[in-house]
Amino acid sequence: MNAINEDGIIHIVDDDRAVRDGLGFMLSSLGLTIETHSSALDLLDRLDGALIGCILADVRMPGMSGLELLDELKRRACALPVIIITAHADVPMAVRAIQSGALDFFEKPVNGMALVERINDALKEARARAEDEALKAAIASRIESLTGREVDVARAIMDGKQNKQIAADFGISLKTVEIHRHNLMTKMEATTPADLVRQLVTANWDKI
């Protein structure tokens, strides 16, 4: 079995130490970084907000079940993908897990190759999500640097207006519009109007 090392942490949550140790040994031997947790509450106490990684959680655990953990992770807006593993599977449980946001649902004993493949999918998803969040944060920072007039010009560009139309709408000279537009493009690190529009759409520009 080959795993993709995405520098993320695989959190194994199971009250059965033998299961934790077995999964941990298998996954760590493939180059993955492992953290084990004896309960859902232990996981929640130790989560550090990292965006890269995934969670393997049992369903039936003392205190908080795997399904309740899914709900709590959603409430906390935790972005880590979750794979549910259980020895007591049934269709309604699997449906609820998927509806609650689980990436997949495995029944014990787990097929190691299938699990590793799904973990790889989870890490890729987490990496893509983290990159998307980083991009949004960078764009948001650029937007915050804009003046009020530059925001107005950005909105006008989004509406497809040319510089002459913008000047007429705002009652300012064409030269002034060109200056605002130049500063806007520079601050947003945009090389073309299309690039600017893509950034503003990504950042939900209608909220600026």
Side-chain angles (χ1 to χ4, degrees):
M1 293 182 291
N2 295 315
I4 298 173
N5 191 342
E6 294 282 352
D7 299 323
I9 296 175
I10 312 302
H11 297 273
I12 301 172
V13 190
D14 199 305
D15 61 314
D16 187 330
R17 182 172 181 175
V19 172
R20 296 197 306 271
D21 290 347
L23 284 175
F25 177 78
M26 178 186 73
L27 298 176
S28 61
S29 69
L30 297 173
L32 295 168
T33 302
I34 306 299
E35 282 192 11
T36 60
H37 310 269
S38 59
S39 69
L41 292 178
D42 180 56
L43 167 72
L44 294 172
D45 287 342
R46 291 165 60 186
L47 279 179
D48 60 4
L51 296 176
I52 308 298
C54 76
I55 298 169
L56 309 182
D58 189 20
V59 171
R60 296 187 178 181
M61 296 182 290
M64 179 184 289
S65 72
L67 296 179
E68 291 170 333
L69 173 61
L70 277 170
D71 294 336
E72 179 62 18
L73 291 170
K74 182 184 295 185
R75 189 187 70 79
R76 297 188 181 196
C78 176
L80 295 181
V82 179
I83 297 172
I84 293 293
I85 300 174
T86 182
H88 309 282
D90 57 49
V91 173
M93 183 186 294
V95 170
R96 182 185 167 190
I98 298 302
Q99 289 178 337
S100 296
L103 180 67
D104 210 336
F105 189 97
F106 282 83
E107 188 172 3
K108 298 175 183 177
V110 177
N111 180 312
M113 292 184 66
L115 178 61
V116 168
E117 182 178 349
R118 212 65 180 110
I119 289 173
N120 286 337
D121 292 339
L123 292 175
K124 289 177 183 177
E125 179 181 305
R127 173 70 65 187
R129 188 178 299 169
E131 291 174 351
D132 183 59
E133 289 300 317
L135 175 60
K136 288 180 179 179
I139 294 172
S141 178
R142 295 168 196 165
I143 290 174
E144 289 179 2
S145 73
L146 301 179
T147 65
R149 182 59 81 190
E150 287 161 359
V151 169
D152 291 339
V153 172
R155 290 182 181 278
I157 292 173
M158 285 290 293
D159 290 337
K161 294 182 179 180
Q162 301 299 313
N163 287 357
K164 288 184 179 180
Q165 292 175 282
I166 297 172
D169 289 345
F170 297 152
I172 57 180
S173 70
L174 179 60
K175 182 63 176 179
T176 299
V177 172
E178 290 172 347
I179 292 173
H180 286 312
R181 183 165 181 152
H182 172 77
N183 292 340
L184 164 66
M185 299 291 283
T186 299
K187 290 180 180 180
M188 293 300 298
E189 300 179 19
T191 55
T192 66
D195 183 26
L196 173 67
V197 169
R198 278 193 295 271
Q199 291 192 56
L200 296 177
V201 169
T202 298
N204 294 318
W205 72 275
D206 56 321
K207 296 181 181 180
I208 67 176

